[in-house]
Amino acid sequence: MKPASALGFLLAAGVAGLTFGSAAHAQQTVKIGSVLSVTGPASFLGEPEDKTLRMYVEKINAAGGINGKKVELIIYDDGGDANKARTFATRLIEDDKVVAMAGGSTTGTTMAMIPVFEEAQVPFISFGGAVEIIEPVRKYVFKTPHTDKMACEKIFENLKQRKLTNIAMISGTDGFGASMKAQCTKVAPNYDIKIITEESYGPRDSDMTGQLTKIKNTPGVQAIVNPGFGQGPAIVTRNYAQLGMTATPLYQSHGVASKSFIELAGASAEGIRLPAAALLVGDKLPDSDPQKKVVVDYKKTYEDTAKSPVSTFGGHAYDGLMILVEAMKRANSTDPKKVRDEIEKTKGFVGTGGIVNMTPTDHLGLDLSAFRMLEIKGGDWTLIKPGA
């Protein structure tokens, strides 16, 4: 980041504080907070989210702000630590006096922060993946990414189409991996899927050959599903190829929906399938697709500014910020309760993750049609045709 740029400045000690406008004009600004995992093991999530929020807040302010007020964006880096996330959430409420929060890179950090925003009655739009963030519904908590439950359903839908019903699961023990494993187990019977063996790995494990060998030696396994995010799924993919298991289809989750996964897994990623947002295949969508313009425009803006490949994770930040901004405009207010009410009324919002229609009982607002099934071919994402 360039010091003293229009985007603000970095504070020391791993805390990124970004201020638009001056203290003298504080009353004319809208304070929006964010706590992201910009560094640490989840930086592949937090870094594109951080860049996205910064570049789009700059655009919003250049266009006149929100209802004539400039946005003052305050970002803290939790390094993937849930305890730090909660501390920063408290700081945003008690010291910074934010009127809304868009952040939370992981399920773990999000769950640690939820009580802070619920108690303060300040709307919180999370970028975390697990369904437990919004089920049960909490009045002030929303999220933008597709849920782990939806990922299981989309994968099982594709498995059923391929007449593959007996599967093995190898899951990360992190918050997202454990939650998705539980959701897959819960919904598998709805698709006549049988989980005949299960293995797991820790976030610091560097080799999953032992677990995969057990799966390889289990009779009847027709496919493998890997709930997880970070470097774990890339290691699973490489070990899977090294063991000569490629005749058994391997499915990953939307937790690996960035080019960095393909780079980490290398040639071993060929043929891997996963559910993901339309953002990864924007240029391959038909012109009639309502998401095409949004995802193509975001991809160009991000890649031209950040000088790095787009990921769905930055897209979650874009969706969250824009949903929040539109809610503030409709409310014609920065009162947290009025903004919360308008977020919940979001209808027909076309984002990078899908078309969002929220209700009092659905604080995500996406259905399975928001997920696209992708396959990695030639080191790139390809769109799987329905029924394939």
Side-chain angles (χ1 to χ4, degrees):
M1 170 159 303
K2 296 178 181 178
S5 70
L7 291 179
F9 55 89
L10 292 177
L11 297 180
V15 178
L18 190 60
T19 304
F20 293 82
S22 65
H25 298 285
Q27 72 276 15
Q28 298 175 351
T29 65
V30 180
K31 284 190 174 185
I32 296 175
S34 189
V35 179
L36 302 170
S37 303
V38 184
T39 59
S43 62
F44 69 99
L45 302 173
E47 187 178 5
E49 293 163 354
D50 175 75
K51 289 176 179 176
T52 296
L53 292 180
R54 294 175 188 276
M55 67 178 71
Y56 278 94
V57 165
E58 184 179 29
K59 284 176 171 290
I60 290 164
N61 283 340
I66 302 173
N67 299 327
K69 293 184 177 183
K70 294 295 179 75
V71 176
E72 183 179 341
L73 178 65
I74 304 165
I75 302 178
Y76 294 112
D77 174 17
D78 60 34
D81 185 306
N83 290 326
K84 287 183 180 178
R86 186 181 175 98
T87 297
F88 289 138
T90 302
R91 185 180 298 179
L92 285 173
I93 294 297
E94 295 182 355
D95 299 339
D96 301 315
K97 310 294 184 185
V98 299
V99 298
M101 157 77 166
S105 298
T106 72
T107 297
T109 57
T110 292
M111 296 306 292
M113 292 188 286
I114 282 174
V116 176
F117 293 101
E118 278 288 289
E119 183 179 352
Q121 298 186 338
V122 168
F124 173 16
I125 302 179
S126 171
F127 311 146
V131 72
E132 64 183 322
I133 294 168
I134 53 162
E135 289 186 12
V137 173
R138 297 171 177 89
K139 188 170 183 178
Y140 285 84
V141 179
F142 305 83
K143 73 191 289 294
T144 53
H146 314 80
T147 68
D148 46 5
K149 178 183 178 182
M150 291 170 67
C152 296
E153 291 172 331
K154 197 70 175 182
I155 290 169
F156 292 165
E157 186 178 80
N158 190 251
L159 283 168
K160 195 169 183 180
Q161 289 168 353
R162 300 173 79 182
K163 295 181 169 53
L164 303 174
T165 57
N166 294 334
I167 71 165
M169 277 206 302
I170 177 168
S171 313
T173 56
D174 56 87
F176 175 79
S179 178
M180 182 171 169
K181 172 188 173 182
Q183 292 301 320
C184 285
T185 302
K186 184 178 178 180
V187 302
N190 299 341
Y191 294 84
D192 298 320
I193 299 293
K194 294 180 181 178
I195 302 169
I196 61 176
T197 187
E198 295 180 47
E199 296 291 335
S200 64
Y201 56 86
R204 298 183 184 278
D205 290 357
S206 58
D207 186 279
M208 287 64 151
T209 302
Q211 296 96 314
L212 287 166
T213 298
K214 291 179 183 177
I215 291 172
K216 183 179 182 181
N217 293 334
T218 301
V221 172
Q222 297 174 308
I224 304 167
V225 177
N226 180 194
F229 79 102
Q231 68 174 2
I235 297 169
V236 167
T237 302
R238 292 199 304 268
N239 292 160
Y240 154 89
Q242 290 162 358
L243 289 169
M245 299 173 70
T246 52
T248 305
L250 173 60
Y251 286 77
Q252 295 289 354
S253 76
H254 57 311
V256 303
S258 71
K259 202 69 181 240
S260 62
F261 167 74
I262 298 178
E263 292 168 354
L264 284 169
S268 303
E270 190 75 9
I272 301 302
R273 290 190 175 191
L274 69 152
L279 177 58
L280 295 184
V281 287
D283 57 339
K284 300 176 177 70
L285 297 175
D287 291 342
S288 59
D289 193 302
Q291 281 187 265
K292 183 161 187 174
K293 185 179 187 314
V294 172
V295 298
V296 169
D297 287 353
Y298 169 73
K299 182 176 187 291
K300 177 172 172 49
T301 299
Y302 183 88
E303 293 184 346
D304 287 352
T305 305
K307 307 300 181 187
S308 58
V310 75
S311 76
T312 58
F313 311 122
H316 301 327
Y318 170 87
D319 292 351
L321 178 64
M322 293 306 168
I323 287 171
L324 178 57
V325 169
E326 290 303 313
M328 287 180 171
K329 287 179 178 178
R330 291 195 304 272
N332 194 26
S333 171
T334 57
D335 178 81
K337 293 181 181 179
K338 292 180 180 178
V339 173
R340 187 222 78 88
D341 291 347
E342 289 300 327
I343 294 172
E344 192 175 80
K345 294 176 185 174
T346 299
K347 294 286 186 294
F349 171 81
V350 182
T352 66
I355 299 175
V356 178
N357 294 290
M358 292 194 188
T359 70
T361 58
D362 181 359
H363 281 192
L364 169 65
L366 296 174
D367 60 26
L368 272 189
S369 68
F371 255 145
R372 315 297 171 107
M373 277 304 300
L374 308 185
E375 184 171 326
I376 300 170
K377 288 185 178 179
D380 199 8
W381 312 107
T382 62
L383 191 59
I384 297 174
K385 294 179 180 179

